[in-house]
Amino acid sequence: MKWYENKGEHSDVVLSTRVRLARNLKDYPFPARLSTAEKEKVNEAMRDIFLSAECGKNLSYTEMKTLSTFEAVSLAEKHLISPEFASDPRGRALLLSEDEDVSIMLCEEDHARIQVILPGLALKEGYEKASEYDRVLEEKAAVAFDKNLGYLTQCPTNLGTGMRASVMLHLPALAENRVISRLAATVAKLGLTLRSVYGNTSRSVGALFQLSNQVTLGISEEAAVQNLNAIALQIAEQETQARQALLKDDAFIDRIWRAYGILTSAHMISCDEFCDLLSLVRLGAAQGIVDLPLETLSRLLIEMQPATINVTQGESLSQRERDVIRAKSVKETLSRK
């Protein structure tokens, strides 16, 4: 089951966990110095390595040039690939599991970006699963590694572990209290980054934030995961306390029900407005005010993104057309619960 169709630990605050490992083959230059033909050769080698492994039997291989722009951007909207990877298909390919929990970007910034994405707070599980694919690569190929620097990557900021782990947090109460900027400054001192998923830190659409490790050199993967997990739990606790205080205010509860009312009656709704209203309804659902499954709201968050709507409808739609379809789909889904 896809991450946005399920819920995990602390799903009231933590929507998803992502662990990504950057790896390069020792015998090839970094992708920035490869021609398209050379990138395709690297991709084929990576394909053969992963698909021949037991853990790779559920992976499918796709050359990005075979996808439409909407299909590629939709994968980014689902957080399965990076927006940069979707923007230029030349010499790039993707290995993707049926449940979309594993995606391996080939010849993005590095030869391979092994990514695992799971629902809820699951950093240990995500790291262990990503490591399984990493071991396959290291057993079958010479990986670029230096005994002093660790894994070699195209971008120096990824040197060392080559790991970027993150959690997607829903922080409507902390955003309402305007403490996100202060929180971001605090976690930065601990080697972490807190940024908005949509928009920016001062104006985060949908109150969704990504907390990720910033330090990859001079620290083990296990230590980085433990540090990120501990801080994520602390932030989740702060959000929970802030929610309890907010929900003592009848005016805020009224905002939740008004948001639900708009989502279940609007004829047109833009993506940003949808995300903001869904944020309030999700808070209400997490606190037992609105009787809706969190999994349903997570699925809507992804499926109502612009490119994903185009893919679902099988055609290129104008913004107005998407806004009408979005309103209708949300209304029907919430009415069914």
Side-chain angles (χ1 to χ4, degrees):
M1 186 175 289
K2 300 173 177 62
W3 73 265
Y4 50 87
E5 296 177 342
N6 204 352
K7 68 176 183 178
E9 295 293 322
H10 304 284
S11 278
D12 57 331
V13 176
V14 186
L15 274 73
S16 66
T17 293
R18 183 171 62 185
V19 177
R20 183 184 292 171
L21 302 176
R23 298 292 184 259
N24 290 281
L25 298 178
K26 180 180 179 182
D27 298 330
Y28 291 87
F30 292 131
R33 299 189 61 187
L34 294 176
S35 66
T36 297
E38 289 170 329
K39 290 178 181 178
E40 291 173 348
K41 185 176 180 181
V42 170
N43 295 343
E44 291 169 1
M46 289 290 194
R47 176 197 63 193
D48 294 343
I49 288 171
F50 288 113
L51 294 185
S52 64
E54 184 64 31
C55 63
K57 292 188 182 301
N58 69 335
L59 298 177
S60 61
Y61 178 80
T62 302
E63 294 183 345
M64 293 302 292
K65 65 183 180 182
T66 66
L67 300 180
S68 68
T69 299
F70 293 130
E71 288 172 326
V73 175
S74 177
L75 290 171
E77 289 176 348
K78 295 175 181 179
H79 305 282
L80 303 177
I81 64 174
S82 67
E84 196 279 331
F85 189 72
S87 68
D88 185 358
R90 292 173 298 178
R92 290 174 168 174
L94 176 68
L95 288 162
L96 181 64
S97 66
E98 185 177 353
D99 287 343
E100 298 182 354
D101 57 341
V102 177
S103 57
I104 304 176
M105 291 179 282
L106 302 179
C107 281
E108 187 219 34
E109 189 175 72
D110 296 285
H111 294 150
R113 287 284 180 94
I114 301 168
Q115 176 181 287
V116 171
I117 185 166
L118 300 171
L121 184 60
L123 284 161
K124 183 175 182 292
E125 295 87 342
Y127 170 65
E128 289 174 349
K129 190 158 193 172
S131 295
E132 184 178 1
Y133 290 84
D134 187 29
R135 285 192 294 271
V136 167
L137 180 60
E138 298 208 36
E139 287 170 1
K140 299 188 177 185
V143 175
F145 184 85
D146 181 89
K147 64 179 181 180
N148 295 317
L149 296 175
Y151 290 101
L152 303 180
T153 56
Q154 183 167 296
C155 181
T157 59
N158 290 322
L159 279 173
T161 63
M163 183 187 77
R164 293 289 179 182
S166 65
V167 291
M168 191 192 307
L169 304 168
H170 183 220
L171 306 177
L174 293 178
E176 181 74 15
N177 293 338
R178 300 183 180 182
V179 299
I180 296 295
S181 295
R182 186 170 72 244
L183 185 59
T186 299
V187 300
K189 298 175 183 177
L190 302 172
L192 303 176
T193 300
L194 183 68
R195 64 175 182 83
S196 174
V197 175
Y198 307 120
N200 53 59
T201 304
S202 60
R203 168 65 180 108
S204 174
V205 177
L208 292 170
F209 299 87
Q210 179 177 295
L211 179 71
S212 60
N213 69 302
Q214 190 173 18
V215 179
T216 60
L217 193 60
I219 186 173
S220 69
E221 292 96 332
E222 293 82 1
V225 164
Q226 290 173 6
N227 183 45
L228 179 58
N229 190 76
I231 301 303
L233 285 172
Q234 290 181 33
I235 293 176
E237 178 58 29
Q238 291 181 42
E239 170 66 21
T240 298
Q241 293 178 6
R243 289 180 183 186
Q244 292 171 353
L246 269 183
L247 295 178
K248 293 178 182 179
D249 183 358
D250 287 335
F252 191 83
I253 294 177
D254 186 62
R255 284 175 58 190
I256 292 174
W257 283 111
R258 286 175 182 271
Y260 178 80
I262 294 173
L263 290 176
T264 54
S265 62
H267 177 68
M268 291 177 58
I269 188 166
S270 70
C271 189
D272 282 3
E273 183 185 13
F274 162 72
C275 289
D276 284 336
L277 294 172
L278 191 75
S279 172
L280 287 166
V281 172
R282 184 183 181 90
L283 171 57
Q287 300 303 119
I289 295 170
V290 181
D291 183 19
L292 287 169
L294 292 177
E295 305 97 301
T296 297
L297 301 179
S298 294
R299 180 171 57 81
L300 277 175
L301 176 68
I302 297 301
E303 292 183 350
M304 294 300 103
Q305 295 300 313
T308 301
I309 291 177
N310 283 329
V311 171
T312 302
Q313 297 298 313
E315 59 181 320
S316 176
L317 303 169
S318 68
Q319 179 178 327
R320 180 179 290 271
E321 289 171 326
R322 290 195 303 270
D323 289 351
V324 171
I325 289 172
R326 181 180 295 110
K328 180 181 178 181
S329 298
V330 171
K331 186 190 309 182
E332 291 175 350
T333 299
L334 295 185
S335 297
R336 292 194 306 266
K337 295 184 180 180

